[in-house]
Amino acid sequence: MGMTKAPDLVNYLAHVFTAGDSDLWFYKMGLKELLEKHFGPIDYISSSLDFQRFTNYYNEEMGKNIRIDSRLVSFKYLSSPSFLPDAKLITNEIENNFSVDGKRKVNIDIGYLHHTQFVLASTKHWGNRIYIGKGIYAEITLMYNFGQWEPLKYTYANFKDPEYLNELDAIRDIYLKKRKNYIS
């Protein structure tokens, strides 16, 4: 019989995409401060990533003929993976705060990075998602094997893209340093 033990601490991160210029939302509209209020200091913000080229799913809600700008944002403090349902509920509330006439202008996909996987939270059930409580599901979006991220059959197209994977590599490197300091 195996013995239970506490899980490894993980690095929470968010894939944030906005209607238009993400810098406007992050710095002038207060999104960065709200994220830090709930998740602690940010230790990494990716370069601007063009999310629009992967889907037009959000055009109806966020606006047609706009550039949907995205960023990957990493939070400094390591935390338990069991925080994921609460984290998703928090980001849903932040999205609501930035909604206009019931339509989101900011979307936050919260998840965490472990040295072996990248996990995202969702409010939607699907065959590849596991219910983790409070109306939230978890999905292993990427696995890290043999020195690289491996997408799965259901991985969203943007997280298969080399530009996104490079940013996740940078966050993973930061996580490994934090993890080493924590374990030492």
Side-chain angles (χ1 to χ4, degrees):
M1 170 173 61
M3 300 299 292
T4 62
K5 63 179 183 172
D8 289 344
L9 296 179
V10 295
N11 194 124
Y12 274 82
L13 64 113
H15 174 237
V16 180
F17 55 95
T18 61
D21 181 11
S22 62
D23 282 346
L24 170 73
W25 294 99
F26 264 97
Y27 301 108
K28 294 183 180 162
M29 302 293 286
L31 178 58
K32 180 178 183 282
E33 287 78 18
L34 265 178
L35 289 170
E36 289 184 321
K37 174 184 171 187
H38 293 286
F39 299 104
I42 291 171
D43 62 3
Y44 184 85
I45 300 176
S46 75
S47 59
S48 176
L49 302 164
D50 181 7
F51 183 66
Q52 187 72 34
R53 65 187 166 110
F54 298 104
T55 183
N56 61 7
Y57 177 83
Y58 296 93
N59 287 13
E60 189 66 36
E61 184 175 22
M62 292 186 141
K64 293 182 176 149
N65 301 317
I66 60 156
R67 179 176 192 266
I68 296 181
D69 191 24
S70 75
R71 304 278 177 141
L72 287 169
V73 178
S74 168
F75 300 99
K76 179 178 180 178
Y77 301 125
L78 300 182
S79 188
S80 171
S82 65
F83 177 61
L84 190 57
D86 292 313
K88 182 63 175 169
L89 294 173
I90 290 166
T91 58
N92 282 355
E93 184 61 33
I94 293 171
E95 288 177 0
N96 286 336
N97 290 341
F98 286 101
S99 293
V100 176
D101 297 326
K103 294 186 176 188
R104 287 178 297 176
K105 298 301 175 189
V106 171
N107 187 92
I108 306 166
D109 294 328
I110 192 74
Y112 62 77
L113 189 141
H114 179 270
H115 64 93
T116 63
Q117 61 190 194
F118 171 49
V119 176
L120 286 174
S122 179
T123 58
K124 299 175 224 51
H125 177 269
W126 197 244
N128 62 317
R129 296 178 181 158
I130 297 171
Y131 185 73
I132 56 173
K134 300 184 179 184
I136 306 301
Y137 298 84
E139 168 186 298
I140 297 174
T141 301
L142 296 164
M143 292 175 47
Y144 198 84
N145 287 313
F146 304 107
Q148 65 183 8
W149 291 109
E150 288 186 14
L152 304 164
K153 196 175 202 177
Y154 51 79
T155 299
Y156 292 111
N158 60 309
F159 289 115
K160 295 178 183 179
D161 183 75
E163 189 175 20
Y164 278 77
L165 295 174
N166 287 338
E167 294 291 354
L168 287 170
D169 277 338
I171 295 169
R172 184 175 184 274
D173 288 344
I174 293 168
Y175 165 67
L176 290 175
K177 288 175 188 161
K178 290 188 278 192
R179 185 173 187 267
K180 181 178 180 183
N181 289 334
Y182 182 80
I183 293 172
S184 299

